[in-house]
């Protein structure tokens, strides 16, 4: 979708930061991971980017976010929330305003065998330099997740329907990137 302004055209896009967890053998707690898509055209051809695409003229933002996720990653997260709109003038070679969503996926919702070949999962603490301003967008999304985990039940979106208190604590520890005292955590949760 393009819109006209006094200065020219503005393209409207949607992107999504998808968070999940991956437990590594022998690790104390799971790692926060996310899928990235390798760009197949300029600008930034060959670089990794957040999944996304253009807003269709006849679709809403959330519908576009779900559609672009399905097209680029074959993922359909059950939790999808609008995060922020990014519109710095120099964020792209052409004028693009992106409405960014963030999503949570339980590890059992991910079928790694059906992941498209230009999509790969990365540890949140070891991301490459991303296309456009996507590193900044990721940092904002991770900050938002860490804050929201403190006042909401958002952590449940990364767990199976039934889970133990220890598993819930592991999610908090992974998101906050620090260890939590089990006894204090139990009291806070109760």
């Amino acid at each position: 979708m393009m819109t006209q302004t006094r200065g020219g055209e503005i393209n409207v896009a949607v992107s999504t930061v998808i968070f999940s967890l991956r437990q590594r053998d022998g690790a104390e707690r799971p790692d926060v991971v996310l899928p990235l898509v390798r760009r197949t055209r300029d600008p930034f051809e060959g670089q990794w980017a957040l999944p996304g695409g253009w807003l269709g003229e006849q679709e809403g933002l959330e519908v576009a976010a779900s559609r672009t996720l399905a097209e680029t990653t074959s993922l359909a997260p059950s939790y999808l929330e609008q995060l922020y709109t990014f519109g710095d003038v120099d964020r792209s070679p052409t004028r693009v305003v992106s409405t960014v969503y963030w999503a949570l996926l339980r590890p059992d919702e991910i079928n790694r065998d059906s992941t498209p070949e230009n999509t790969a999962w990365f540890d949140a603490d070891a991301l490459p330099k991303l296309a456009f301003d996507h590193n900044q967008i990721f940092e904002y999304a991770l900050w938002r997740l860490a804050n929201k985990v403190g006042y909401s039940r958002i952590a449940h979106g990364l767990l199976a329907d039934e889970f133990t208190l220890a598993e819930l604590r592991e999610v908090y520890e992974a998101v906050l990137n620090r260890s939590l005292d089990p006894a204090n955590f139990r009291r806070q949760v109760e």
Side-chain angles (χ1 to χ4, degrees):
M1 170 182 256
M2 276 190 268
T3 185
Q4 291 286 109
T5 65
R6 287 187 193 165
E9 295 178 349
I10 297 176
N11 296 300
V12 180
V14 293
S15 296
T16 305
V17 181
I18 305 169
F19 292 112
S20 190
L21 298 177
R22 180 180 355 186
Q23 184 69 48
R24 298 201 189 281
D25 292 337
E28 264 185 54
R29 62 179 174 248
D31 295 318
V32 175
V33 295
L34 67 153
L36 297 173
V37 177
R38 188 180 300 276
R39 292 201 37 91
T40 58
R41 62 184 179 279
D42 280 329
F44 303 104
E45 183 175 0
Q47 275 190 270
W48 294 102
L50 296 171
W54 301 116
L55 175 66
E57 287 189 32
Q58 299 299 317
E59 66 184 345
L61 290 168
E62 190 167 331
V63 169
S66 294
R67 175 186 53 79
T68 59
L69 278 178
E71 291 173 357
T72 58
T73 66
S74 299
L75 296 170
S78 55
Y79 181 86
L80 185 67
E81 178 183 333
Q82 193 174 121
L83 175 68
Y84 196 77
T85 298
F86 293 83
D88 286 350
V89 174
D90 61 349
R91 65 183 301 270
S92 177
T94 60
R95 185 76 167 106
V96 177
V97 173
S98 289
T99 297
V100 178
Y101 283 77
W102 58 305
L104 302 178
L105 275 173
R106 298 184 321 227
D108 64 331
E109 292 178 309
I110 301 167
N111 181 354
R112 298 196 194 277
D113 295 333
S114 70
T115 302
E117 69 179 53
N118 69 325
T119 301
W121 287 84
F122 289 83
D123 287 347
D125 62 357
L127 291 185
K129 171 132 177 52
L130 303 179
F132 306 105
D133 57 352
H134 290 188
N135 286 93
Q136 174 190 353
I137 292 170
F138 160 76
E139 291 293 333
Y140 182 78
L142 188 60
W143 173 82
R144 178 74 189 274
L145 178 62
N147 280 294
K148 195 162 184 170
V149 80
Y151 67 83
S152 74
R153 298 171 58 96
I154 194 78
H156 297 139
L158 294 166
L159 291 163
D161 291 336
E162 293 186 19
F163 53 86
T164 66
L165 189 59
E167 290 168 332
L168 181 61
R169 189 183 76 247
E170 286 177 348
V171 170
Y172 276 75
E173 290 177 338
V175 169
L176 298 173
N177 199 25
R178 62 183 166 90
S179 296
L180 300 172
D181 178 68
N184 285 337
F185 181 77
R186 175 183 288 278
R187 279 192 295 276
Q188 289 176 343
V189 168
E190 290 174 347

